[in-house]
Amino acid sequence: MTGTVLTRNLRDTLRLRRNGPFLWPAARALLALAVPLSVLLFTDRLDLLPGAVFGALSSVYGRTEPYYRHARTLGAVALGMVLAVIVGDVIAVFAGGTPWHEAVALTATALIGALATVLCAAVKVGPPGGLIFAFAVGACAHLPLVAADLGPHFATVALCAAFAWVVNVAGAAVIGMAPQRHAVAAALDATAAALAERSDLAVRHRAAVAVESAWHSVALVGHRHRDSSAHRSLVRAVHASEVLLGPDAPEVTADDVRAAATAIRAGEPAPDLHPAGSAEVFAPIPASRWRIIRGVLRAAVRPRRAGSWLLPYAVRIFVAALLAGVAADLLGIGHAYWAAVSAVSVLQATSTATSVPRMLQRVSGTVLGVLIGAAVLSAHPAVWVLLVVLVLLQWGAEMTVTINYGIGLLFATPVALLVSALGAPADPGVLASNRFWATLLGAAMAVAISWLLPNRAWLSRVHTALARVRTLSAAEPIHPPALRGALIELHEAYELAAGEIRPALLPTESLLTASHEAYAQLDAAAPHRGLAPER
């Protein structure tokens, strides 16, 4: 691997993503955290604070998912968060004070972080991936607990995770089909870009990905909204995006498509960009995530298959996190598990190239964040003030983390410091110093392990996906949904492999040729998803 891999995505460090949503996910996180902490304050049970915080943090997952799927995602995340806290608490009770306490805690933090990250990547849950799970294990494993504390701690995290689930799911009544509107608007914007740059394969592919995401989104609505006039309008808009990407598209300008996207994003009725004719337009059947999970399990049993890239990815995270934690402990850095968590965080980026900007964002955000945290703790405010600041900082983190990870850490880092200080009071300066050095060590270790241990499984995944695209393109007749999915998988696999493998080893020309041929096949085929048979 050459140094160009390390600098390939360097510009992403300063990139700002303004596509949201921001306000509602941040409000959900604020409410999910504020209510449990208020209860603990008024009942004088702040000893249960860590469990309450981690239970509430389950609300930060799946922020852009339609509510139909979001409820299931948060249910699984909540269960996983409860298990992570249980693992940490059990280690604190039965290993605390023993010579092997730190070794067990760091191993568990690295292992849970790796497993949670891979599972989140496999089912496309999105950020923060395995980060919070690893943080929960590491933090809870260092709490001063006895066996009698386990019951209240378990109950606290379970109740707070359940409350976070209720807060998020109840929002469906307020937000309605906002996630679907955003997905459809994004598909229209990508379609407009493709209309303006028809010869650009990368732009065409981004449009295909956006349209595919929009189809999945409009499929995932509850009974209350399914087949309503608003839902049918969104389905027609997605179908129009697909038609407009074809060679026989009606005369619609890119500006017309962008205007429709703006209207849909604002919740206004969108103009019909393409009449469906005599056939009725309908939403497809939702795809089950259980199929993806089964594929992951099969890959674990039969590692030579295409999904096997997840296994070396998990090993990479585990090794980096464990080595970072051990190194921090040997160097005398307090809260050594912070180094392990930092490594897990950086390696949420699934390739070496993408982990570099994440490392820079994590370090820069942490530098400023520890100054804020140290300043707050040095003022020695009342406990209730600390809790208010903690909640507001978490709200700020949720507002900004998707805009830029470094900005999000400006708020998230003081949250970690305040949680640690409330659980076990310590000198603010020492706490801030430990956080900085542990973060720096963990981030550097993550990138170093990625660079030293590139894995050819990423390249194997590209060749497997390329072969599938060729097979589906040669089929008679072609199956457009399967071919679209294969193209998305191929380009995703290539993008990850490009961050790991030397360019000379990548089948770039073959990918371009196969992609052009496949998209020509798709453009020639009449879009049939969303269309019922004519009567």
Side-chain angles (χ1 to χ4, degrees):
M1 183 186 301
T2 64
T4 56
V5 171
L6 294 177
T7 58
R8 179 173 177 265
N9 295 83
L10 204 56
R11 69 182 65 180
D12 290 347
T13 305
L14 301 177
R15 179 177 295 176
L16 300 179
R17 298 172 177 83
R18 303 181 180 89
N19 294 329
F22 309 118
L23 290 175
W24 178 240
R28 291 189 312 224
L30 176 70
L31 183 60
L33 185 59
V35 172
L37 294 193
S38 299
V39 172
L40 293 184
L41 178 64
F42 286 114
T43 57
D44 196 25
R45 289 305 307 268
L46 289 180
D47 57 302
L48 300 175
L49 180 93
V53 169
F54 290 118
L57 285 178
S58 62
S59 65
V60 305
Y61 284 83
R63 59 163 50 224
T64 60
E65 287 190 329
Y67 281 98
Y68 181 85
R69 174 166 284 175
H70 195 203
R72 300 182 182 185
T73 297
L74 285 188
V77 168
L79 178 60
M81 200 65 69
V82 171
L83 293 176
V85 170
I86 288 176
V87 169
D89 285 353
V90 168
I91 291 173
V93 170
F94 296 102
T98 65
W100 35 273
H101 173 222
E102 197 64 29
V104 173
L106 292 175
T107 301
T109 301
L111 182 61
I112 296 299
L115 292 176
T117 298
V118 167
L119 286 174
C120 288
V123 298
K124 302 185 186 301
V125 168
L131 170 61
I132 307 297
F133 296 97
F135 187 22
V137 174
C140 293
H142 291 84
L143 295 174
L145 301 178
V146 296
D149 296 325
L150 292 178
H153 273 253
F154 296 169
T156 299
V157 65
L159 288 173
C160 290
F163 178 71
W165 184 89
V166 171
V167 167
N168 281 266
V169 174
V174 179
I175 298 301
M177 290 192 295
Q180 282 83 5
R181 290 202 307 272
H182 283 292
V184 174
L188 289 171
D189 282 334
T191 299
L195 291 177
E197 299 287 344
R198 282 193 175 272
S199 61
D200 192 323
L201 177 62
V203 175
R204 174 67 174 81
H205 177 68
R206 283 195 291 271
V209 173
V211 170
E212 192 74 13
S213 297
W215 276 124
H216 287 310
S217 186
V218 297
L220 294 168
V221 296
H223 296 295
R224 176 186 173 193
H225 297 291
R226 181 169 287 276
D227 293 328
S228 64
S229 59
H231 183 230
R232 288 195 297 270
S233 175
L234 293 179
V235 173
R236 285 195 298 271
V238 184
H239 172 65
S241 294
E242 225 167 32
V243 171
L244 291 172
L245 291 173
D248 300 322
E251 292 296 327
V252 177
T253 67
D255 288 338
D256 291 335
V257 180
R258 291 191 185 96
T262 301
I264 287 176
R265 193 174 279 112
E268 301 170 358
D272 279 334
L273 298 171
H274 174 67
S278 58
E280 181 184 1
V281 182
F282 71 105
I285 299 174
S288 172
R289 267 186 173 156
W290 176 239
R291 178 178 56 82
I292 302 174
I293 296 173
R294 286 201 308 267
V296 174
L297 296 177
R298 282 197 300 268
V301 175
R302 293 179 286 182
R304 290 184 179 274
R305 292 187 172 268
S308 62
W309 74 277
L310 291 169
L311 297 179
Y313 178 40
V315 171
R316 170 183 287 182
I317 297 171
F318 173 75
V319 171
L322 183 60
L323 290 180
V326 170
D329 187 48
L330 293 176
L331 291 172
I333 300 174
H335 298 79
Y337 71 89
W338 277 344
V341 172
S342 178
V344 172
S345 173
V346 169
L347 290 178
Q348 298 305 303
T350 49
S351 71
T352 301
T354 52
S355 68
V356 173
R358 193 171 178 91
M359 176 194 71
L360 297 175
Q361 290 170 338
R362 185 161 184 86
V363 172
S364 60
T366 298
V367 169
L368 298 175
V370 295
L371 295 177
I372 296 174
V376 172
L377 293 174
S378 297
H380 302 291
V383 173
W384 71 268
V385 174
L386 281 178
L387 293 181
V388 170
V389 172
L390 190 155
V391 171
L392 291 177
L393 286 169
Q394 181 58 36
W395 176 77
E398 282 305 297
M399 278 287 291
T400 57
V401 71
T402 57
I403 298 175
N404 183 277
Y405 183 57
I407 299 175
L409 278 173
L410 181 68
F411 297 94
T413 297
V415 170
L417 293 178
L418 295 185
V419 170
S420 296
L422 288 167
D427 179 80
V430 173
L431 203 61
S433 176
N434 288 337
R435 177 72 180 187
F436 171 73
W437 290 113
T439 297
L440 182 61
L441 177 60
M445 184 68 74
V447 173
I449 292 299
S450 294
W451 186 54
L452 293 171
L453 298 177
N455 197 288
R456 295 302 176 89
W458 275 255
L459 185 58
S460 174
R461 183 188 177 201
V462 174
H463 284 293
T464 301
L466 183 58
R468 185 163 187 265
V469 167
R470 286 169 171 163
T471 300
L472 291 173
S473 297
E476 289 291 345
I478 68 166
H479 188 244
L483 184 53
R484 287 188 190 92
L487 278 165
I488 291 172
E489 164 69 12
L490 171 60
H491 283 259
E492 179 183 295
Y494 180 86
E495 182 62 26
L496 291 179
E500 292 285 329
I501 307 298
R502 288 187 292 109
L505 298 178
L506 293 170
T508 305
E509 292 299 324
S510 297
L511 176 139
L512 292 174
T513 301
S515 295
H516 278 297
E517 292 176 354
Y519 277 121
Q521 293 264 36
L522 289 173
D523 290 342
H528 66 278
R529 282 187 305 176
L531 293 181
E534 295 187 8
R535 297 175 183 175

